Amino acid sequence: MLCTGCSGIAPFLSILEQPEIWQRFDRLALAHSVSYGNELIFNDRIAALAEHPLIEEHFHKLHFVPVVTRETTDGALGKRLPELLKNGELATALDMKFTPADTRFMICGNPAMVKDTFQALLDMGFAMHRNRIPGQIMMENGF
């Protein structure tokens, strides 16, 4: 799950609060990108899922990486999501190898990030998921 800002993370917070999603997948990864560190207002909500009675036993499956693009913030990556995908920093931070066989991406946020991230993923060999043609990328503009 790759997202920017408050509107981009909203659908993913909703997804993460559904116990079924935790049972369905072996790993869940969320990268939340904002401009400034003080905009990372959902970190506590994400951490609180560890104590949710229906999720706590699965919480270890979640790998969360905050991203801050316009200043240096401790504990956060410091480049735009498309660049982090291209240079491998996001995969390293999530301790994952992104492959078309094993990885699915959901993208939500500002239109520039969605467009640029989508293109980065296409360049990496991933494809858009369509009803009749399976792929690895689903996206939505949050604005």
Side-chain angles (χ1 to χ4, degrees), residues 1 9-23 28 30 42 44-50 52-56 58-59 62:
M1 296 170 275
I9 195 172
F12 299 144
L13 292 174
S14 179
I15 288 170
L16 290 174
E17 291 174 349
Q18 303 303 311
E20 300 83 21
I21 203 79
W22 296 86
Q23 296 164 7
L28 298 167
L30 172 63
F42 297 103
D44 291 341
R45 182 169 172 182
I46 293 165
L49 292 170
H52 186 288
L54 299 175
I55 295 172
E56 63 187 342
H58 303 284
F59 186 75
L62 178 65

Short mmCIF file of all heavy atoms in Angstrom, two decimals, residues 1 9-23 28 30 42 44-50 52-56 58-59 62:
data_model
loop_
_atom_site.label_atom_id
_atom_site.label_comp_id
_atom_site.label_asym_id
_atom_site.label_seq_id
_atom_site.Cartn_x
_atom_site.Cartn_y
_atom_site.Cartn_z
N MET A 1 0.85 -1.16 0.00
CA MET A 1 0.00 0.00 0.00
C MET A 1 0.90 1.22 0.00
O MET A 1 1.69 1.40 0.91
CB MET A 1 -0.91 -0.02 1.23
CG MET A 1 -1.88 -1.21 1.24
SD MET A 1 -2.75 -1.41 2.81
CE MET A 1 -1.53 -2.37 3.71
N ILE A 9 -4.10 7.87 2.64
CA ILE A 9 -3.95 6.78 3.61
C ILE A 9 -5.31 6.27 4.10
O ILE A 9 -5.42 5.13 4.56
CB ILE A 9 -3.06 7.18 4.80
CG1 ILE A 9 -2.62 5.92 5.58
CG2 ILE A 9 -3.73 8.21 5.68
CD1 ILE A 9 -1.59 6.19 6.66
N ALA A 10 -6.34 7.08 3.99
CA ALA A 10 -7.66 6.73 4.56
C ALA A 10 -8.17 5.35 4.13
O ALA A 10 -8.57 4.56 4.99
CB ALA A 10 -8.67 7.82 4.23
N PRO A 11 -8.19 5.02 2.84
CA PRO A 11 -8.71 3.69 2.49
C PRO A 11 -7.86 2.55 3.05
O PRO A 11 -8.38 1.50 3.39
CB PRO A 11 -8.71 3.67 0.96
CG PRO A 11 -7.97 4.87 0.52
CD PRO A 11 -7.85 5.81 1.66
N PHE A 12 -6.56 2.79 3.19
CA PHE A 12 -5.68 1.74 3.71
C PHE A 12 -5.86 1.55 5.21
O PHE A 12 -5.78 0.42 5.70
CB PHE A 12 -4.23 2.03 3.36
CG PHE A 12 -3.98 2.09 1.87
CD1 PHE A 12 -3.08 2.98 1.35
CD2 PHE A 12 -4.67 1.25 1.00
CE1 PHE A 12 -2.85 3.04 -0.02
CE2 PHE A 12 -4.45 1.30 -0.37
CZ PHE A 12 -3.54 2.19 -0.88
N LEU A 13 -6.14 2.63 5.93
CA LEU A 13 -6.45 2.49 7.36
C LEU A 13 -7.71 1.66 7.53
O LEU A 13 -7.79 0.81 8.41
CB LEU A 13 -6.60 3.85 8.01
CG LEU A 13 -5.33 4.68 8.13
CD1 LEU A 13 -5.65 6.07 8.67
CD2 LEU A 13 -4.30 3.99 9.00
N SER A 14 -8.68 1.90 6.68
CA SER A 14 -9.92 1.13 6.72
C SER A 14 -9.66 -0.34 6.43
O SER A 14 -10.17 -1.23 7.11
CB SER A 14 -10.91 1.71 5.72
OG SER A 14 -12.10 0.98 5.72
N ILE A 15 -8.85 -0.60 5.43
CA ILE A 15 -8.50 -1.98 5.08
C ILE A 15 -7.79 -2.67 6.24
O ILE A 15 -8.09 -3.81 6.59
CB ILE A 15 -7.62 -2.01 3.81
CG1 ILE A 15 -8.46 -1.67 2.58
CG2 ILE A 15 -6.93 -3.35 3.64
CD1 ILE A 15 -7.65 -1.42 1.32
N LEU A 16 -6.84 -1.96 6.87
CA LEU A 16 -6.06 -2.56 7.95
C LEU A 16 -6.89 -2.83 9.20
O LEU A 16 -6.47 -3.60 10.05
CB LEU A 16 -4.87 -1.66 8.30
CG LEU A 16 -3.77 -1.61 7.25
CD1 LEU A 16 -2.71 -0.59 7.63
CD2 LEU A 16 -3.15 -2.99 7.03
N GLU A 17 -8.05 -2.22 9.30
CA GLU A 17 -8.92 -2.47 10.46
C GLU A 17 -9.86 -3.64 10.24
O GLU A 17 -10.69 -3.95 11.10
CB GLU A 17 -9.67 -1.19 10.81
CG GLU A 17 -8.73 -0.13 11.36
CD GLU A 17 -9.38 1.21 11.61
OE1 GLU A 17 -10.53 1.43 11.18
OE2 GLU A 17 -8.72 2.06 12.25
N GLN A 18 -9.72 -4.33 9.11
CA GLN A 18 -10.54 -5.50 8.81
C GLN A 18 -9.76 -6.77 9.13
O GLN A 18 -8.77 -7.07 8.46
CB GLN A 18 -10.96 -5.48 7.34
CG GLN A 18 -11.69 -4.24 6.92
CD GLN A 18 -12.93 -4.00 7.75
OE1 GLN A 18 -13.74 -4.90 7.95
NE2 GLN A 18 -13.08 -2.78 8.24
N PRO A 19 -10.17 -7.55 10.12
CA PRO A 19 -9.43 -8.76 10.48
C PRO A 19 -9.21 -9.73 9.31
O PRO A 19 -8.19 -10.40 9.26
CB PRO A 19 -10.29 -9.40 11.56
CG PRO A 19 -11.06 -8.26 12.15
CD PRO A 19 -11.31 -7.31 11.00
N GLU A 20 -10.13 -9.76 8.36
CA GLU A 20 -10.02 -10.70 7.24
C GLU A 20 -8.76 -10.45 6.42
O GLU A 20 -8.15 -11.38 5.90
CB GLU A 20 -11.25 -10.60 6.32
CG GLU A 20 -12.56 -10.91 6.99
CD GLU A 20 -13.15 -9.73 7.76
OE1 GLU A 20 -12.80 -8.56 7.50
OE2 GLU A 20 -13.96 -9.98 8.67
N ILE A 21 -8.38 -9.20 6.28
CA ILE A 21 -7.20 -8.88 5.46
C ILE A 21 -5.93 -9.44 6.09
O ILE A 21 -5.03 -9.91 5.41
CB ILE A 21 -7.11 -7.35 5.21
CG1 ILE A 21 -6.29 -7.07 3.96
CG2 ILE A 21 -6.48 -6.62 6.35
CD1 ILE A 21 -7.04 -7.28 2.70
N TRP A 22 -5.88 -9.43 7.41
CA TRP A 22 -4.70 -9.95 8.13
C TRP A 22 -4.61 -11.47 8.01
O TRP A 22 -3.52 -12.04 8.03
CB TRP A 22 -4.77 -9.54 9.59
CG TRP A 22 -4.69 -8.06 9.76
CD1 TRP A 22 -5.74 -7.16 9.72
CD2 TRP A 22 -3.53 -7.27 9.99
NE1 TRP A 22 -5.28 -5.90 9.90
CE2 TRP A 22 -3.93 -5.93 10.09
CE3 TRP A 22 -2.18 -7.58 10.15
CZ2 TRP A 22 -3.03 -4.89 10.31
CZ3 TRP A 22 -1.29 -6.56 10.38
CH2 TRP A 22 -1.72 -5.23 10.45
N GLN A 23 -5.74 -12.12 7.91
CA GLN A 23 -5.76 -13.57 7.78
C GLN A 23 -5.47 -14.00 6.35
O GLN A 23 -4.93 -15.08 6.12
CB GLN A 23 -7.12 -14.11 8.23
CG GLN A 23 -7.37 -13.85 9.71
CD GLN A 23 -8.83 -14.01 10.10
OE1 GLN A 23 -9.65 -14.44 9.31
NE2 GLN A 23 -9.14 -13.65 11.34
N LEU A 28 1.88 -7.62 4.94
CA LEU A 28 1.23 -6.37 4.54
C LEU A 28 2.27 -5.26 4.68
O LEU A 28 3.00 -5.22 5.67
CB LEU A 28 0.03 -6.06 5.44
CG LEU A 28 -1.09 -7.09 5.42
CD1 LEU A 28 -2.06 -6.85 6.57
CD2 LEU A 28 -1.83 -7.02 4.09
N LEU A 30 2.93 -0.98 4.23
CA LEU A 30 2.33 0.34 4.05
C LEU A 30 3.44 1.38 4.06
O LEU A 30 4.23 1.44 5.01
CB LEU A 30 1.34 0.63 5.18
CG LEU A 30 0.77 2.05 5.26
CD1 LEU A 30 -0.06 2.37 4.01
CD2 LEU A 30 -0.08 2.20 6.52
N PHE A 42 -0.91 9.60 11.61
CA PHE A 42 -1.58 8.30 11.75
C PHE A 42 -0.67 7.21 12.31
O PHE A 42 -1.09 6.07 12.46
CB PHE A 42 -2.18 7.85 10.42
CG PHE A 42 -3.25 8.78 9.92
CD1 PHE A 42 -2.98 9.68 8.91
CD2 PHE A 42 -4.51 8.77 10.51
CE1 PHE A 42 -3.96 10.55 8.47
CE2 PHE A 42 -5.50 9.64 10.08
CZ PHE A 42 -5.23 10.54 9.06
N ASP A 44 0.39 6.64 15.33
CA ASP A 44 -0.14 6.05 16.56
C ASP A 44 -1.33 5.14 16.28
O ASP A 44 -1.48 4.09 16.91
CB ASP A 44 -0.55 7.15 17.56
CG ASP A 44 0.64 7.90 18.13
OD1 ASP A 44 1.77 7.37 18.06
OD2 ASP A 44 0.44 9.02 18.63
N ARG A 45 -2.15 5.53 15.34
CA ARG A 45 -3.31 4.70 14.98
C ARG A 45 -2.85 3.36 14.40
O ARG A 45 -3.42 2.31 14.68
CB ARG A 45 -4.19 5.45 13.99
CG ARG A 45 -5.44 4.70 13.61
CD ARG A 45 -6.39 5.57 12.85
NE ARG A 45 -7.51 4.83 12.33
CZ ARG A 45 -8.46 5.34 11.60
NH1 ARG A 45 -8.45 6.63 11.32
NH2 ARG A 45 -9.43 4.61 11.14
N ILE A 46 -1.81 3.41 13.59
CA ILE A 46 -1.27 2.18 13.00
C ILE A 46 -0.66 1.32 14.11
O ILE A 46 -0.92 0.11 14.17
CB ILE A 46 -0.25 2.52 11.91
CG1 ILE A 46 -0.97 3.18 10.73
CG2 ILE A 46 0.50 1.27 11.46
CD1 ILE A 46 -0.05 3.89 9.75
N ALA A 47 0.10 1.92 14.99
CA ALA A 47 0.72 1.17 16.09
C ALA A 47 -0.33 0.57 17.01
O ALA A 47 -0.14 -0.53 17.55
CB ALA A 47 1.66 2.09 16.88
N ALA A 48 -1.46 1.25 17.19
CA ALA A 48 -2.52 0.76 18.07
C ALA A 48 -3.15 -0.53 17.56
O ALA A 48 -3.77 -1.27 18.34
CB ALA A 48 -3.59 1.84 18.26
N LEU A 49 -3.00 -0.82 16.28
CA LEU A 49 -3.54 -2.07 15.76
C LEU A 49 -2.91 -3.29 16.43
O LEU A 49 -3.50 -4.36 16.47
CB LEU A 49 -3.34 -2.15 14.25
CG LEU A 49 -4.15 -1.16 13.41
CD1 LEU A 49 -3.66 -1.18 11.96
CD2 LEU A 49 -5.63 -1.47 13.49
N ALA A 50 -1.73 -3.11 17.00
CA ALA A 50 -1.05 -4.21 17.70
C ALA A 50 -1.84 -4.67 18.91
O ALA A 50 -1.65 -5.79 19.40
CB ALA A 50 0.35 -3.79 18.13
N HIS A 52 -5.33 -4.36 18.97
CA HIS A 52 -6.71 -4.62 18.54
C HIS A 52 -6.98 -6.11 18.79
O HIS A 52 -6.22 -6.97 18.34
CB HIS A 52 -6.85 -4.29 17.06
CG HIS A 52 -8.24 -4.38 16.55
ND1 HIS A 52 -8.90 -5.57 16.37
CD2 HIS A 52 -9.11 -3.42 16.16
CE1 HIS A 52 -10.11 -5.35 15.89
NE2 HIS A 52 -10.26 -4.04 15.76
N PRO A 53 -8.06 -6.44 19.50
CA PRO A 53 -8.28 -7.85 19.88
C PRO A 53 -8.40 -8.83 18.72
O PRO A 53 -8.08 -10.00 18.88
CB PRO A 53 -9.58 -7.80 20.69
CG PRO A 53 -10.20 -6.49 20.39
CD PRO A 53 -9.11 -5.56 19.97
N LEU A 54 -8.82 -8.38 17.55
CA LEU A 54 -8.96 -9.28 16.41
C LEU A 54 -7.74 -9.25 15.47
O LEU A 54 -7.66 -10.05 14.54
CB LEU A 54 -10.22 -8.94 15.62
CG LEU A 54 -11.53 -9.06 16.39
CD1 LEU A 54 -12.70 -8.58 15.55
CD2 LEU A 54 -11.75 -10.48 16.86
N ILE A 55 -6.82 -8.34 15.73
CA ILE A 55 -5.67 -8.17 14.84
C ILE A 55 -4.35 -8.47 15.52
O ILE A 55 -3.39 -8.89 14.89
CB ILE A 55 -5.66 -6.73 14.25
CG1 ILE A 55 -6.90 -6.55 13.36
CG2 ILE A 55 -4.38 -6.44 13.48
CD1 ILE A 55 -7.11 -5.13 12.89
N GLU A 56 -4.27 -8.29 16.84
CA GLU A 56 -2.99 -8.33 17.55
C GLU A 56 -2.13 -9.55 17.24
O GLU A 56 -0.92 -9.44 17.10
CB GLU A 56 -3.20 -8.18 19.05
CG GLU A 56 -4.00 -9.28 19.69
CD GLU A 56 -4.32 -9.00 21.15
OE1 GLU A 56 -3.67 -8.15 21.77
OE2 GLU A 56 -5.23 -9.66 21.69
N HIS A 58 -1.87 -11.04 14.51
CA HIS A 58 -1.38 -10.96 13.13
C HIS A 58 -0.54 -9.71 12.87
O HIS A 58 0.00 -9.55 11.79
CB HIS A 58 -2.56 -10.95 12.16
CG HIS A 58 -3.46 -12.13 12.29
ND1 HIS A 58 -3.13 -13.37 11.82
CD2 HIS A 58 -4.69 -12.24 12.86
CE1 HIS A 58 -4.12 -14.21 12.09
NE2 HIS A 58 -5.07 -13.56 12.71
N PHE A 59 -0.45 -8.83 13.85
CA PHE A 59 0.17 -7.52 13.64
C PHE A 59 1.61 -7.62 13.13
O PHE A 59 2.07 -6.74 12.39
CB PHE A 59 0.12 -6.67 14.92
CG PHE A 59 0.61 -5.27 14.72
CD1 PHE A 59 -0.16 -4.34 14.06
CD2 PHE A 59 1.86 -4.90 15.18
CE1 PHE A 59 0.30 -3.05 13.85
CE2 PHE A 59 2.33 -3.61 14.99
CZ PHE A 59 1.55 -2.68 14.32
N LEU A 62 2.58 -6.74 9.49
CA LEU A 62 2.60 -5.38 8.93
C LEU A 62 4.00 -4.79 8.99
O LEU A 62 4.66 -4.80 10.03
CB LEU A 62 1.65 -4.46 9.68
CG LEU A 62 1.65 -3.00 9.20
CD1 LEU A 62 1.12 -2.90 7.76
CD2 LEU A 62 0.81 -2.14 10.13
#
